[in-house]
Amino acid sequence: MMTGLFISELERTFKRKKTAAVLAVYAGMLAFIWFFFQRGGISFFDADHDVKIDSLNSAPLLLRDLSFAITFIVIPMFVADSFNGEYTSGALRMVLIRPHHRVKLFFVKWVVQCLLVFIILCITWLVGTCLGRMVMPYVNETTFLGGHTLGTLGALLYSLKFYGICFCIFIAVISIGSILSVLMPNSILSYVATIGALIGSVYVSDKLSFFFSVTDSVFHELSKSNSEFLVNLLFPILLISFIINLFVWKKKEWVG
């Protein structure tokens, strides 16, 4: 049953014109940014620390230039279209006519959204890593924020950890966006509400600034010798938002 729901959700997701449009725009941005990435040769860990791009640090730095688009364009549009667009268009009623458990349906939709972002990150990492090795200045070691000098293997592991933490933050964005998409009356308001919540989080607490500047925050966390960011902040947010999602999803009158 879960497999059938998952395949059905994947088919509906990739048949949407918005999905194709957003992916095409992201691919264009990836090519555009890489062009200037290569020609400029300089990037930034944050606003105060610039760095020369080399064959070992290109993947994290490439994501830095694209993370804003993922956070504020790609994820909110995907989530609003999946969790709200199907409801307002009536497509979700056709799914819920069958005897599917609501929690299972929510979980499948949430997993598909996470999968989409995971695919985008994998493509970005592959482009940054492979083209970085082929095009950018070759080095045997590179230095990241905080003075951590790493060799080839260390830089690869750093890159994977960097992308992994960013992915966890993006999952939190998906979870917050899905809550708002269920509560809002249409997909446009869902999108606007998600953007507003992400920007507003900066004013709630400085600790939530990672929603606004994802990669800058991750660079800073990885520069610390003993960071408990994942355990003390991000994972609790993920757990709480997931529980709220389940509660709101079960209470919402989707077919009324």
Side-chain angles (χ1 to χ4, degrees), residues 20-231:
V22 172
L23 290 176
V25 169
Y26 184 80
M29 291 181 63
L30 180 59
F32 180 80
I33 288 175
W34 178 260
F35 175 77
F36 287 99
F37 202 68
Q38 175 188 350
R39 292 177 64 87
I42 299 291
S43 187
F44 302 87
F45 291 126
D46 59 23
D48 300 318
H49 300 88
D50 59 359
V51 58
K52 290 184 178 180
I53 307 168
D54 57 49
S55 58
L56 298 181
N57 65 16
S58 55
L61 294 174
L62 180 61
L63 181 59
R64 182 186 186 273
D65 290 341
L66 288 163
S67 62
F68 190 86
I70 296 174
T71 306
F72 290 94
I73 298 175
V74 175
I75 293 177
M77 290 195 72
F78 280 163
V79 172
D81 210 27
S82 175
F83 286 88
N84 187 286
E86 284 193 348
Y87 170 61
T88 53
S89 68
L92 194 60
R93 292 183 178 88
M94 301 304 295
V95 179
L96 290 174
I97 286 175
R98 300 177 181 178
H100 298 308
H101 197 286
R102 286 189 175 196
V103 173
K104 288 183 179 179
L105 183 57
F106 162 75
F107 182 72
V108 164
K109 294 178 78 67
W110 184 82
V111 168
V112 167
Q113 296 304 305
C114 294
L115 179 62
L116 281 172
V117 175
F118 181 76
I119 292 172
I120 288 172
L121 289 181
C122 285
I123 293 173
T124 305
W125 181 82
L126 283 171
V127 170
T129 301
C130 296
L131 291 184
R133 298 292 177 89
M134 293 187 291
V135 179
M136 304 311 296
Y138 179 81
V139 295
N140 290 316
E141 60 181 26
T142 190
T143 302
F144 290 98
L145 186 66
H148 300 300
T149 300
L150 303 173
T152 302
L153 179 59
L156 176 62
L157 294 175
Y158 181 99
S159 176
L160 292 173
K161 187 175 182 179
F162 181 89
Y163 272 72
I165 296 175
C166 288
F167 180 54
C168 290
I169 295 175
F170 291 143
I171 292 176
V173 175
I174 291 171
S175 298
I176 292 170
S178 61
I179 294 172
L180 296 172
S181 294
V182 171
L183 297 175
M184 293 293 106
N186 61 63
S187 55
I188 295 176
L189 288 178
S190 299
Y191 178 83
V192 173
T194 302
I195 300 299
L198 295 175
I199 296 175
S201 65
V202 178
Y203 299 97
V204 174
S205 172
D206 290 339
K207 293 182 178 180
L208 299 178
S209 61
F210 62 87
F211 281 125
F212 187 78
S213 55
V214 176
T215 51
D216 289 21
S217 300
V218 176
F219 275 127
H220 277 277
E221 289 302 320
L222 291 178
S223 71
K224 301 175 183 177
S225 57
N226 225 352
S227 174
E228 296 181 346
F229 167 72
L230 287 175
V231 175

Side-chain angles (χ1 to χ4, degrees), residues 1-16 86 95 98 100 105 108 112:
M1 181 68 75
M2 285 287 286
T3 303
L5 276 175
F6 181 75
I7 294 174
S8 175
E9 180 65 23
L10 275 178
E11 290 177 347
R12 294 199 308 277
T13 298
F14 283 100
K15 284 181 179 179
R16 297 184 194 120
E86 284 193 348
V95 179
R98 300 177 181 178
H100 298 308
L105 183 57
V108 164
V112 167

